[in-house]
Amino acid sequence: GAVMACPTDSGYALTCRLDDKAAYDKIKQIRALPDSHFMTLLCHNLSSLGHYAILNDNQAFRWIKAHTPGAYTFILKASKSVPKRVMQKKRKTIGLRIPDNVICQSLLSSLGEPLMSCSLILPDETDALADPWDIRDRLSHQVDIIIDGGYLWPEPTTRVDCVEGLVVET
């Protein structure tokens, strides 16, 4: 039931368990996000990604396999394992990532399930928080866990839409 500030390969993210609606609502409150905001699932590996997404395109599969782990967000058709509140409603899609960060990978491996996430950008700010001490000072009363992965310069992920055929956006 915890909300966590977790290091990833693209900076810090707010994360929680996929099935925890209360934690999901808390993340939306911290970030002041609308209901329509697109969440991302952090997955440990390609097989766990396959449990939450439908991937029928061999070209897309090969591309994903060649570029993971890494700072990519893959937009895929959501499987029935994804709660409706998390997926993009009109297209029934979900963003999935396999991050290339040792701490995040260890956490995902230990949990044995993905984490729902969004970048750690506070309301009325344009840049994600990068310093774990700053995160602690500003959010210790709102999040349950802060994992110190050191200073992480936030870099947005490259977005790859695998639903419309490999459309890459940076």
Side-chain angles (χ1 to χ4, degrees):
V3 171
M4 175 173 47
C6 177
T8 74
D9 53 351
S10 61
Y12 282 91
L14 288 174
T15 64
C16 68
R17 292 187 53 191
L18 179 61
D19 62 352
D20 192 332
K21 184 178 180 331
Y24 167 77
D25 290 339
K26 192 173 181 181
I27 288 173
K28 285 179 22 185
Q29 178 188 14
I30 292 168
R31 290 267 329 264
L33 296 173
D35 288 337
S36 61
H37 185 78
F38 202 49
M39 293 290 194
T40 300
L41 295 184
L42 299 176
C43 297
H44 173 61
N45 56 28
L46 203 53
S47 64
S48 62
L49 184 141
H51 182 72
Y52 296 94
I54 299 166
L55 184 59
N56 296 327
D57 184 337
N58 285 335
Q59 179 189 15
F61 176 79
R62 285 191 299 273
W63 205 92
I64 292 169
K65 187 175 180 180
H67 291 87
T68 56
Y72 292 90
T73 300
F74 301 100
I75 310 303
L76 296 159
K77 286 283 186 191
S79 74
K80 293 183 183 195
S81 300
V82 177
K84 291 185 186 206
R85 71 179 180 282
V86 179
M87 69 177 73
Q88 197 276 336
K89 292 172 184 20
K90 289 182 183 177
R91 294 176 63 199
K92 304 227 185 295
T93 58
I94 186 71
L96 293 118
R97 296 196 53 226
I98 301 174
D100 190 15
N101 176 284
V102 174
I103 295 170
C104 191
Q105 275 293 322
S106 295
L107 180 64
L108 291 166
S109 176
S110 296
L111 288 173
E113 63 183 80
L115 288 171
M116 186 173 44
S117 74
C118 67
S119 56
L120 212 168
I121 303 171
L122 295 179
D124 301 322
E125 295 187 18
T126 56
D127 296 324
L129 296 178
D131 183 349
W133 290 98
D134 190 26
I135 295 169
R136 185 194 62 137
D137 290 344
R138 298 177 72 182
L139 294 176
S140 63
H141 61 286
Q142 292 180 289
V143 300
D144 302 293
I145 302 166
I146 300 169
I147 297 179
D148 185 345
Y151 186 91
L152 294 175
W153 188 257
E155 290 287 332
T157 62
T158 299
R159 194 167 163 239
V160 181
D161 190 331
C162 298
V163 176
E164 301 296 328
L166 291 174
V167 179
V168 180
E169 302 172 23
T170 54

